[in-house]
Amino acid sequence: MRRLRLLLFPFSVLYGAIVFVRNWLFDKGYLKSTSYSFPVICVGNLSVGGTGKSPMIEYLIRLLKDEYKVATLSRGYKRKTTGFLLADEHTTASDIGDEPLQFYHKFKNDIQVAVEAKRTVGIETLRNLSISLEVILLDDAFQHRKVNAGFNILLTPFYDLYANDFMLPAGNLREPISGAKRADVIIVTKCPTEVSAAERTRIVKKLRPKAQQKVFFTTIAYSESIYSESEELLLSSLKASEFVLITGIANPKPLLQHLNDQQLQYTHLEYADHYHFSESDIQTIKQKVGDKRMLTTEKDFMRLKGRLDKLYYLPIEVAFLAGEAEFQGKVKLFLES
């Protein structure tokens, strides 16, 4: 793997130079970036792969939905449609993507959920549809420089900090580390439940935030219950017999660690992130599983529900290790300014 990275490094340098120039053109105003007179909050990262964007969007929804009229806007990764689409009760994962569908099913009575690859078009369309809309949450739009969001939240995983990474294709960075300067807040996600003050200080020094940037640390809080389309069970009920875990996410390691910590016995069927399960895949899974229960992530459940019996999902939420009130204060101060 190290040898492959070395071979790819010249391409990373070239790609990094191209992205750097692009960002410079936006920073200097040679390429147009649209600002808005109403609140737009962007949640994103510098790298490819799972950094916890969806749980962070859901955290913001819970924080804001009772006081503000909220909409989420995503590109709808791997959807089979094009253009602007607003989720409704007939929408499927193929229409808008699994993560936006997850937002809709959890918060459909409180927010609007839309997808549009061109974020400027999506924002203007949402505003035209609902003039009372008060805040738009942009999912995975940190590199979408045509939109100048009023508040940028940058995520980086505890075990895969962007400060330790390289540009694509040798590494996983979508843009140079210098892009982090655009963030208002940096959040280190997927931390162990206990991170010492010394370790937090070490990480902050490695990330080298600007004077105005605050670094927060969060972990994954797993639900004690699992859910099917019609039933709720305690996760601990899976101790009674071996089950099958099905994942199609970028990094299942934190989930595996949690299940192992619960001393659960399972077989893991691992697929690529946002994997499209064909009918052939479903039949193969049924043959492998037999009459065992199946567990999956909430995101994967959006693509698998109604296609497999005895299928449950385990919800997750963001939990701050410290400074939650300060983070919430920064978000609300932006909304009120």
Side-chain angles (χ1 to χ4, degrees), residues 286 289 292-294 306-312:
K286 288 180 178 179
V289 170
K292 294 178 182 177
R293 283 177 176 160
M294 288 168 280
R307 306 175 72 186
L308 294 168
D309 297 328
K310 296 185 179 180
L311 178 66
Y312 297 80

Side-chain angles (χ1 to χ4, degrees), residues 181-214:
K181 67 184 179 183
R182 301 196 306 277
D184 295 280
V185 164
I186 299 171
I187 300 181
V188 181
T189 62
K190 302 183 180 182
C191 297
T193 52
E194 294 183 5
V195 181
S196 69
E199 178 69 0
R200 290 200 296 269
T201 299
R202 184 190 69 80
I203 290 174
V204 170
K205 288 182 178 179
K206 183 175 285 289
L207 296 178
R208 301 173 65 184
K210 301 297 182 183
Q212 75 279 8
Q213 293 175 319
K214 176 69 176 180

Side-chain angles (χ1 to χ4, degrees), residues 55 117 220:
I220 299 172

